[in-house]
Amino acid sequence: MKFNNFSKITSNILGSRLTGFFRDVLFANYLGANMLSDAFLFAYRLPNLFRRIFAEGAVNSVLIPMFINQQKENEHRAVEFFWSVFLIFLLLTSILSIFIFIFKFDVVSVLAPGFIDNKDQFIFAGQLLTITFPFLIFVTLSAILSSILNINGKFFLPSFLSVILNTCMILAIFLFKSNAHFAIAWSLIVAGAIQLSLLFINLKSLNLIWKLSIDGIISNIQNLKIFLKRFSFSVFGSGIVQLNIFISMIFASLVGEGTISHLYYADRIIDLPFALIAVAISITLLPYLSKNILNEEKNADAFNQTIIFCLIFSIPSVVGLYYLSFDIVNILFGRGEFLSSDVLVTSNILIVYSLSLPGYMFSKICNQVFFSNERVDLPVFASIPTFLINLILCFFLYQSLGAIGLAIASTISVWLNVVIQIIFIKKFFFPFYQKINIIDYVKLIKILFCSFLMLVTIIFIENFFTINLIFDLFIKIFFGVLVYFLSLKLLRIDEIKLIYKSKKFN
């Protein structure tokens, strides 16, 4: 069977997550959850947070619809517009990297105030940050180039880039083991250069390599002004969403040693089902909605199918992570420098995080409606109360509940964001809202029932089958998933066919 776009993206994202998990297993084994690992993960996560603001969210959500619309009118001018945007972000990320290099210790003081009391940790974090942050230049430009490849139906390389990054980091850990902090930081830069080079090679094969001139920039001035205005809204919205992570990082540094690491490892596990389904389906959904913007029937049908499709994966993920969280964390990270106490704390955080998984997927899908209609301001307004609630909850919960309190604050803010986005869809796109079905109760009950059967299967195997921890977990997950999907098929949940349909939406 020929792989369709969704299958290619999902298989590459699966490869990315598997290599990412292996990388994190090595992180936990050699770096542990301590003062130095917290400093490293702070320096590692900071450019990645900006990446989410610039690259994965704001750039693609604004750039793709505008490029597609301009391509319909004048393809040559659309390509020049694209390269003008590329040049803007080359300058923007370079300036930001220089700023971080100069004021590195001020940045650490603001975003990780808990490090100030430990001079070694404080200096260590600042030194690492000067190496890791320029990775933002490479990853942002790679995201921009990936977007035009996706528009031209080239999905393989853009979704494979993370595998390259993870491989470089894994090699650094293997070579330097417990002293790999600086080697891993430099591996980010090496991986970024490789990623960008491969993307340029692919663009050359499409005859899209650097088509830009002064006249081209001048002729696109108006379009660039519109882009920057929409991008500013989107950055503000994405920035507020990412500020929630900044807030968690700030309070985590105040909770105590190892908290940043515990939150990171729990977040990495919860990211697997989210990335596999929500990210992959939104990459294919956004271009579809943009191209069929005037056909509300088609778009509503695609929206409804996508919601159910995500519930098919998110609900059993919540059930499975709730019951198996300790075993999963223990098998992945419970060795070397990662102590049994670290496993317990991380597994409890994971349980709380799992409750936000359906909300993250709902939010990702709702965003596609706003972006395809070029209303990038609406996610901004939706994210403001989300940020405020997260900030207030973190402040009141971090001292009494520690890392668990931060996870609770994050989960509540995610679901609040979903509620607000649905209200906005109803208010600003009412004809579309009338055609969609936010919650199909019949299918939801079927999915919940199938998830219950999966849980019963896991408990049954646990009570009657014991060999060793790793094999037992594999058997429980394998047969639990098997029973779940067989039950879905028997109950005729048709959206499961989206996995292998050559055309997702018709």
Side-chain angles (χ1 to χ4, degrees), residues 236-411:
F236 187 63
S238 299
I240 291 176
V241 172
Q242 298 310 315
L243 270 177
N244 286 326
I245 301 176
F246 281 115
I247 291 299
S248 296
M249 189 181 297
I250 291 170
F251 284 102
S253 73
L254 295 170
V255 169
E257 182 178 324
T259 303
I260 290 178
S261 300
H262 296 146
L263 290 170
Y264 170 79
Y265 291 120
D267 182 68
R268 292 297 299 150
I269 296 174
I270 203 67
D271 192 47
L272 176 62
F274 173 68
L276 282 175
I277 308 306
V279 174
I281 202 70
S282 67
I283 287 173
T284 53
L285 181 62
L286 177 57
Y288 181 88
L289 295 178
S290 297
K291 290 178 181 178
N292 296 280
I293 192 66
L294 299 178
N295 193 327
E296 288 185 347
E297 292 290 344
K298 283 187 175 182
N299 282 349
D301 182 59
F303 182 92
N304 293 337
Q305 290 183 61
T306 306
I307 289 290
I308 297 300
F309 183 73
C310 286
L311 288 177
I312 285 172
F313 287 89
S314 62
I315 291 178
S317 295
V318 173
V319 174
L321 288 171
Y322 177 83
Y323 191 77
L324 299 172
S325 62
F326 184 86
D327 290 343
I328 292 172
V329 175
N330 193 29
I331 288 172
L332 288 174
F333 308 129
R335 62 184 60 83
E337 298 294 324
F338 203 81
L339 307 178
S340 58
S341 58
D342 297 320
V343 172
L344 181 61
V345 173
T346 304
S347 63
N348 289 334
I349 295 171
L350 180 59
I351 290 173
V352 179
Y353 273 168
S354 70
L355 299 176
S356 68
L357 188 57
Y360 269 119
M361 293 186 175
F362 268 70
S363 178
K364 190 77 175 178
I365 296 166
C366 289
N367 277 337
Q368 308 312 307
V369 177
F370 302 135
F371 296 151
S372 63
N373 286 276
E374 300 186 9
R375 287 300 306 270
V376 295
D377 56 318
L378 296 180
V380 174
F381 297 123
S383 61
I384 292 173
T386 301
F387 164 71
L388 294 175
I389 288 295
N390 186 55
L391 175 61
I392 293 169
L393 290 175
C394 282
F395 179 78
F396 283 105
L397 296 178
Y398 89 97
Q399 286 184 314
S400 58
L401 298 177
I404 301 297
L406 301 181
I408 292 172
S410 175
T411 299

Side-chain angles (χ1 to χ4, degrees), residues 168-222:
C168 290
M169 297 177 76
I170 288 168
L171 289 174
I173 301 171
F174 270 131
L175 290 173
F176 294 91
K177 297 183 171 36
S178 297
N179 298 314
H181 302 85
F182 283 99
I184 299 170
W186 281 112
S187 73
L188 296 177
I189 306 302
V190 173
I194 294 172
Q195 291 171 335
L196 202 57
S197 299
L198 291 175
L199 287 167
F200 270 115
I201 292 171
N202 271 256
L203 284 174
K204 188 175 182 180
S205 68
L206 293 174
N207 197 29
L208 290 172
I209 196 73
W210 196 253
K211 293 185 177 180
L212 183 62
S213 62
I214 299 298
D215 291 338
I217 296 175
I218 294 173
S219 64
N220 275 291
I221 285 293
Q222 191 60 36

Side-chain angles (χ1 to χ4, degrees), residues 81-268:
F81 165 76
F82 171 83
W83 286 110
S84 299
V85 172
F86 180 91
L87 184 61
I88 288 171
F89 281 94
L90 173 60
L91 296 173
L92 179 62
T93 53
S94 298
I95 292 170
L96 188 56
S97 297
I98 294 171
F99 175 85
I100 294 294
F101 178 81
I102 297 172
F103 299 103
K104 53 184 175 292
F105 292 117
D106 299 288
V107 172
V108 175
S109 298
V110 172
L111 297 180
F115 292 177
I116 296 174
D117 294 335
N118 190 316
K119 184 178 179 181
D120 291 336
Q121 186 182 33
F122 181 77
I123 294 174
F124 193 67
Q127 291 172 338
L128 285 168
L129 189 59
T130 59
I131 303 171
T132 61
F133 202 85
F135 175 64
L136 176 66
I137 300 173
F138 294 101
V139 75
T140 301
L141 299 182
S142 293
I144 294 173
L145 298 184
S146 294
S147 66
I148 199 169
L149 288 177
N150 287 335
I151 292 170
N152 284 274
K154 304 295 182 180
F155 295 96
F156 181 82
L157 181 60
S159 58
F160 187 72
L161 295 178
S162 294
V163 177
I164 297 172
L165 172 63
N166 292 333
T167 302
C168 290
M169 297 177 76
I170 288 168
L171 289 174
I173 301 171
F174 270 131
L175 290 173
F176 294 91
K177 297 183 171 36
S178 297
N179 298 314
H181 302 85
F182 283 99
I184 299 170
W186 281 112
S187 73
L188 296 177
I189 306 302
V190 173
I194 294 172
Q195 291 171 335
L196 202 57
S197 299
L198 291 175
L199 287 167
F200 270 115
I201 292 171
N202 271 256
L203 284 174
K204 188 175 182 180
S205 68
L206 293 174
N207 197 29
L208 290 172
I209 196 73
W210 196 253
K211 293 185 177 180
L212 183 62
S213 62
I214 299 298
D215 291 338
I217 296 175
I218 294 173
S219 64
N220 275 291
I221 285 293
Q222 191 60 36
N223 289 328
L224 289 173
K225 287 181 180 178
I226 295 172
F227 171 82
L228 290 173
K229 181 180 178 180
R230 293 174 181 175
F231 173 72
S232 298
F233 273 110
S234 191
V235 161
F236 187 63
S238 299
I240 291 176
V241 172
Q242 298 310 315
L243 270 177
N244 286 326
I245 301 176
F246 281 115
I247 291 299
S248 296
M249 189 181 297
I250 291 170
F251 284 102
S253 73
L254 295 170
V255 169
E257 182 178 324
T259 303
I260 290 178
S261 300
H262 296 146
L263 290 170
Y264 170 79
Y265 291 120
D267 182 68
R268 292 297 299 150

